Amino acid sequence: QVQLVESGGGLVQAGDSLRLSCAASGLTFTLYTMGWFRQAPGKEREFAAAINRSGGGTAYADSVKGRFTISRDNAKNTVYLQMNSLKPEDTAVYFCAAGYDRSWSPPKRHDGYGYWGQGTQVTVSS
């Protein structure tokens, strides 16, 4: 079975940095686009960042561009989200997702991803 397991969330202060990890198993990792989505309490799930199969193409939400960096290590079947200059507005549960997509530009829509992790909580205090 496909399994995506997020880790690295926690409680930090505004301006701090945090790195999330997502370990994938049960799939051929190099065939999948990987994405990060987030959901704050009472709000809809929203796109944060994504990376294509080779790692050469990335996409970011305007709200995180310049602060977050997505990367992947295909040898370790792991995708990362480096989050710098964190703001209270970044507080959310962060979900890792995998999608079977061959485009250079990874999808930003929820329906572009077929597998999802359970999420990891990120809380940024003011």
Side-chain angles (χ1 to χ4, degrees):
Q1 294 182 345
V2 173
Q3 187 173 27
L4 305 176
V5 180
E6 303 96 334
S7 62
L11 174 63
V12 298
Q13 296 182 355
D16 285 353
S17 297
L18 206 58
R19 189 178 77 158
L20 305 182
S21 298
C22 172
S25 61
L27 53 75
T28 303
F29 188 68
T30 54
L31 295 180
Y32 286 83
T33 294
M34 302 299 298
W36 288 97
F37 291 76
R38 63 187 187 179
Q39 187 169 20
K43 297 184 179 180
E44 297 293 325
R45 179 178 54 182
E46 67 174 4
F47 170 80
I51 188 166
N52 70 1
R53 299 189 300 173
S54 70
T58 59
Y60 297 93
D62 289 342
S63 59
V64 309
K65 194 171 186 178
R67 299 187 298 119
F68 290 11
T69 303
I70 189 170
S71 62
R72 67 191 294 162
D73 187 339
N74 287 343
K76 297 181 178 179
N77 285 13
T78 301
V79 63
Y80 305 95
L81 186 66
Q82 177 66 45
M83 305 184 294
N84 298 330
S85 301
L86 283 163
K87 304 175 181 179
E89 305 92 272
D90 297 318
T91 296
V93 177
Y94 283 71
F95 297 92
C96 176
Y100 192 74
D101 185 88
R102 300 181 181 182
S103 301
W104 178 257
S105 299
K108 300 179 180 180
R109 296 164 58 102
H110 302 166
D111 58 11
Y113 301 86
Y115 300 103
W116 297 83
Q118 294 298 307
T120 185
Q121 177 70 46
V122 172
T123 303
V124 184
S125 65
S126 59

